[in-house]
Amino acid sequence: QAGIFNTSYFNYNSKMKHTLSVLVENESGVLTRIAGLFARRGFNIESLSVGPAEQKNISRITMVVPGDDKTIEQLTKQLYKLINVRKVQDITTLPNVGRELMLLKVRFTEETRTEIMDIA
């Protein structure tokens, strides 16, 4: 279910979760380089979404990353060092729309099919 919310909440390690919006050139290997940067620096990506941006040949990577302000600032500087990165924004404090999606595999019989469809 979609809703407007603010993602500035704390996770189990008391590190604030930051939502970063990264505009990148739409070329192969860009996501791999960003993931490699995170892995080398020991950062964790809790959520990741990639799709086309408003401009042609530009993609938007939206990610949720735990860390304090200093850590996120350091990460932002590291992202800007990558060739294909155009813009990095911490959109944590901006109102936004969040959606969640769950995929389930359900085993059913003819007798339970109707009941399962009613629940879905």
Side-chain angles (χ1 to χ4, degrees):
Q1 182 168 349
I4 296 177
F5 63 95
N6 187 333
T7 57
S8 60
Y9 51 94
F10 290 86
N11 68 7
Y12 55 89
N13 290 329
S14 296
K15 291 183 180 178
M16 188 169 167
K17 292 183 182 181
H18 291 262
T19 304
L20 300 179
S21 174
V22 184
L23 292 178
V24 298
E25 295 172 7
N26 193 9
E27 294 181 12
S28 63
V30 175
L31 185 57
T32 303
R33 285 191 289 280
I34 290 175
L37 169 74
F38 276 73
R40 284 189 307 276
R41 303 286 188 264
F43 293 116
N44 186 35
I45 300 173
E46 292 193 4
S47 176
L48 179 70
S49 176
V50 183
E54 299 80 20
Q55 300 169 342
K56 188 176 180 181
N57 298 323
I58 300 292
S59 292
R60 180 181 308 277
I61 301 173
T62 305
M63 59 184 86
V64 176
V65 182
D68 57 22
D69 290 339
K70 185 176 178 181
T71 302
I72 299 303
E73 182 180 341
Q74 176 190 11
L75 180 59
T76 300
K77 289 177 183 177
Q78 294 294 321
L79 283 168
Y80 272 119
K81 289 181 181 180
L82 296 176
I83 294 170
N84 300 110
V85 173
R86 292 273 187 98
K87 185 176 182 180
V88 180
Q89 255 185 311
D90 186 348
I91 60 171
T92 304
T93 58
L94 301 177
N96 55 70
V97 176
R99 294 191 173 117
E100 293 184 9
L101 174 67
M102 181 187 302
L103 299 175
L104 299 172
K105 184 175 181 179
V106 180
R107 187 172 299 164
F108 64 90
T109 63
E110 278 302 314
E111 295 81 31
T112 59
R113 184 178 191 282
T114 305
E115 182 180 351
I116 291 171
M117 294 303 288
D118 289 341
I119 293 171

